[in-house]
Amino acid sequence: MLDSFGREIRYLRLSITDRCNLRCRYCMPDEGVPPTVHDELLRYEELLRVAETAVSLGINRFKVTGGEPLVRRGCADFIRHLKALSGVRQVTLTTNGLLLPPLLDELCTAGLDGVNISLDTLDNAQYQRLTRRTHTADEVLRAVRLCAARLPTKINAVLLPETADQLIPLAELTQTLPVDVRFIERMPLGTTQTGQTTSADIALNRLRARWPQLKPISEPRGNGPARYFRAPGMQSCLGLIDAVSHGFCDRCNRLRLTSTGLLKPCLCYEQGVELRSLLRGGADDDALRNAMREAILQKPAAHCFQQRENITEHKSMNQIGG
Ligand code: SAM
Ligand code: SF4
């Protein structure tokens, strides 16, 4: 379906939990976030009903996210059911990777099409400082290797001033692994609104200094707004997501569903269409479809990350569903 600015919406990010086994500083506030009570979370059957309705509106690609989606029991089974829905073309997962290795078999059998693994630094001590937990970057890298042997895999790293020295080491993974490495500008969201980002352009200049033959990729790659680049000797691509500086809103193709059932037209604003009460109040398929259509029509022309005073979304990323 087209939104009011003529953009075709065909991608839905489904958050299945706001819980997480990490506490990344740019995602969650220092004091943590009270977890949602279980009954407020959409049940898997409810998520599947939303997905089915989304398909009827032309949305055929889904990303399962959170919080950390793999902390919710039954995630792989949910993915199996989601992938089996008629009209669903692609189901991918975003994860911090820590719980991935023992679930890989089940996820592959479920039909998962790809995995994004978040890893902002290869330095174990820095990883622990950033995530406020005792897991290590080595554990994540092990998950990346296991996953890349089975499924299309990408690494996502947030561009933080404190991890500037990790840009090149992370990017060099493209020389040894068939894994795209994508750098995303830190968005000023939720209670971590005042944090700084390194701009994607600065990162690109540094990548060009390391790989003078780095060239943009012209063919489309992935569902999202990343610009991709490649240099001789790379097995895979580098990606840059200038979520804040350039804005990719004119190409935005997505909606987000929070784990409590708010269908969000845009990350930046708190506005959304509440689906949980419809799902639990006996709404028929037409009523649900109309509510979802309304969310598509509410999509604003652009985010306002560069005018921070206009941001109305104050939830943290784990609650929104990053
Ligand atoms: N826990 C999973 C993970 O870390 O991949 C999935 C949820 S997490 C909220 C999804 C993505 O959002 C991660 O790649 C994370 O780095 C990113 N993220 C969180 N807060 C962000 C922020 N303020 N700006 C940019 N990306 C952010
Ligand atoms: Fe958890 Fe992902 Fe947020 Fe880190 S970015 S705290 S792993 S939800």
Side-chain angles (χ1 to χ4, degrees):
M1 170 177 165
L2 296 183
D3 74 359
S4 16
F5 300 92
R7 297 170 297 198
E8 193 178 355
I9 308 307
R10 53 191 184 83
Y11 179 61
L12 175 61
R13 293 179 74 99
L14 293 169
S15 172
I16 63 170
T17 181
D18 60 347
R19 293 182 189 233
C20 188
N21 47 350
L22 296 180
R23 293 288 181 276
C24 302
R25 290 180 188 275
Y26 51 78
C27 178
M28 289 207 203
D30 283 340
E31 63 279 12
V33 186
T36 303
V37 289
H38 190 260
D39 197 45
E40 290 178 1
L41 282 187
L42 289 196
R43 295 187 287 272
Y44 283 136
E45 309 83 78
E46 293 169 332
L47 284 159
L48 289 169
R49 190 158 170 230
V50 171
E52 250 178 330
T53 311
V55 169
S56 75
L57 290 169
I59 293 172
N60 54 20
R61 290 162 203 266
F62 297 84
K63 168 90 70 198
V64 177
T65 182
E68 173 48 46
L70 298 182
V71 301
R72 180 158 175 187
R73 205 177 315 149
C75 176
D77 212 34
F78 166 63
I79 287 174
R80 184 167 61 80
H81 284 108
L82 180 58
K83 188 66 198 296
L85 290 181
S86 164
V88 170
R89 284 186 56 188
Q90 188 190 63
V91 178
T92 55
L93 173 77
T94 294
T95 171
N96 60 37
L98 293 165
L99 299 170
L100 190 56
L103 289 170
L104 252 182
D105 277 348
E106 217 187 323
L107 288 166
C108 289
T109 314
L112 186 66
D113 294 294
V115 182
N116 288 1
I117 299 182
S118 301
L119 180 62
D120 306 317
T121 175
L122 296 176
D123 178 296
N124 286 329
Q126 189 176 50
Y127 185 83
Q128 292 176 343
R129 280 197 299 281
L130 264 179
T131 60
R132 304 186 183 103
R133 288 293 183 268
T134 54
H135 294 286
T136 61
D138 290 346
E139 282 175 71
V140 182
L141 210 47
R142 177 174 160 265
V144 168
R145 290 205 170 89
L146 290 170
C147 190
R150 313 276 301 271
L151 288 169
T153 303
K154 295 175 185 157
I155 289 178
N156 283 345
V158 179
L159 286 166
L160 305 165
E162 60 269 39
T163 54
D165 66 341
Q166 294 294 306
L167 181 78
I168 302 300
L170 281 164
E172 282 175 347
L173 293 174
T174 56
Q175 297 184 317
T176 52
L177 291 170
V179 169
D180 286 353
V181 177
R182 308 176 333 151
F183 297 98
I184 176 164
E185 288 177 347
R186 174 199 176 127
M187 293 177 274
L189 272 171
T191 44
T192 57
Q193 258 189 36
T194 51
Q196 298 303 311
T197 187
T198 300
S199 81
D201 283 345
I202 289 178
L204 181 57
N205 286 341
R206 294 189 52 216
L207 294 168
R208 285 205 164 113
R210 165 66 180 81
W211 287 279
Q213 296 188 64
L214 197 65
K215 292 274 177 334
I217 301 282
S218 47
E219 65 272 17
R221 202 172 170 90
N223 297 315
R227 296 182 280 152
Y228 284 98
F229 301 84
R230 196 168 193 149
M234 288 182 180
Q235 291 188 32
S236 45
C237 292
L238 292 174
L240 285 162
I241 305 181
D242 25 31
V244 181
S245 59
H246 289 289
F248 37 63
C249 303
D250 55 331
R251 287 171 287 133
C252 184
N253 60 0
R254 61 194 53 197
L255 291 175
R256 292 184 148 79
L257 185 69
T258 70
S259 56
T260 56
L262 183 73
L263 188 61
K264 279 181 65 67
C266 178
L267 259 181
C268 197
Y269 306 101
E270 67 176 351
Q271 184 186 28
V273 175
E274 216 281 288
L275 298 185
R276 190 180 60 202
S277 50
L278 285 177
L279 289 161
R280 294 186 183 172
D284 65 15
D285 291 346
D286 280 343
L288 191 59
R289 191 175 304 113
N290 284 338
M292 294 184 67
R293 191 176 278 134
E294 189 188 323
I296 293 177
L297 294 175
Q298 277 180 11
K299 272 181 78 63
H303 67 57
C304 60
F305 287 138
Q306 285 181 319
Q307 299 87 39
R308 291 188 182 189
E309 63 285 3
N310 295 339
I311 300 174
T312 57
E313 180 55 88
H314 298 293
K315 291 194 283 298
S316 53
M317 272 299 243
N318 70 305
Q319 295 171 310
I320 300 168

